[in-house]
Amino acid sequence: DFLLFAFDTGQQEHPIWKLVERLKLLDRISFVPFHHEAEPLLLHGDLYLHVLPTRRVQYRTLEAMARGLAVVSCANSGADYLVDGHTCRVVPKPTTGAWRAALEELLTDKGRAVALARQGQQLMASRHPMSRTIEQFTSICHQAAGTPIKLPT
């Protein structure tokens, strides 16, 4: 059993809805409006799909891995944490057939999905712990703000 959440609906919602209807999966999909506060819904499943190509770190993908979700992503040369077959499934060329194959693999082989999710979660715990993220953020803030001005007392 599975439930899909489709985020960033906009102009793509109707074609997705028609496809899902043809596949007889309407009872398994929820369209989530494109709104920042709705994003956490995407992290309450078994799989997380990142379908938009990018060259930078995607914080939702990191969060999904840290929560122990199996991740399917498009290729991203800027994301060293996306290791195909180890921490996730990477779809090198985003064709319908390639996405379908990756999804079918993880939906039919639950053990494989669980293993990828576990390895991704372990990588996040070892390489991207929250304490390190906070330290890096604090450092960036200090660099941006410069040396604090001491006011006379």
Side-chain angles (χ1 to χ4, degrees):
D1 286 339
F2 62 92
L3 175 63
L4 296 173
F5 290 103
F7 185 66
D8 190 16
T9 51
Q11 296 176 339
Q12 298 302 316
E13 182 173 350
H14 186 70
I16 293 170
W17 184 84
K18 295 300 282 179
L19 173 65
V20 171
E21 183 180 44
R22 276 196 318 271
L23 296 173
K24 298 185 182 342
L25 296 174
L26 274 177
D27 62 329
R28 298 181 184 271
I29 190 163
S30 292
F31 288 98
V32 179
F34 185 77
H35 192 275
H36 181 70
E37 292 172 1
E39 287 183 40
L41 283 174
L42 302 175
L43 300 173
H44 290 284
D46 297 316
L47 293 172
Y48 180 82
L49 279 68
H50 181 91
V51 297
L52 299 175
T54 185
R55 301 266 185 280
R56 55 182 195 190
V57 171
Q58 294 296 309
Y59 71 97
R60 284 286 179 222
T61 306
L62 287 171
E63 190 172 349
M65 291 176 95
R67 285 184 177 222
L69 277 82
V71 170
V72 180
S73 177
C74 52
N76 181 344
S77 60
D80 65 346
Y81 52 89
L82 296 175
V83 182
D84 188 34
H86 181 68
T87 62
C88 67
R89 280 289 286 120
V90 174
V91 177
K93 293 184 182 180
T95 64
T96 304
W99 283 108
R100 181 184 179 117
L103 289 173
E104 281 182 347
E105 173 191 341
L106 297 182
L107 289 173
T108 57
D109 187 349
K110 301 269 187 192
R112 181 80 181 121
V114 168
L116 286 176
R118 187 177 320 115
Q119 290 166 318
Q121 190 174 37
Q122 289 170 349
L123 180 73
M124 291 302 104
S126 66
R127 271 216 235 156
H128 299 279
M130 185 54 72
S131 60
R132 180 173 168 213
T133 302
I134 292 171
E135 286 172 9
Q136 290 172 337
F137 179 71
T138 303
S139 175
I140 290 168
C141 289
H142 285 298
Q143 290 173 16
T147 306
I149 299 172
K150 296 201 181 214
L151 299 174
T153 56

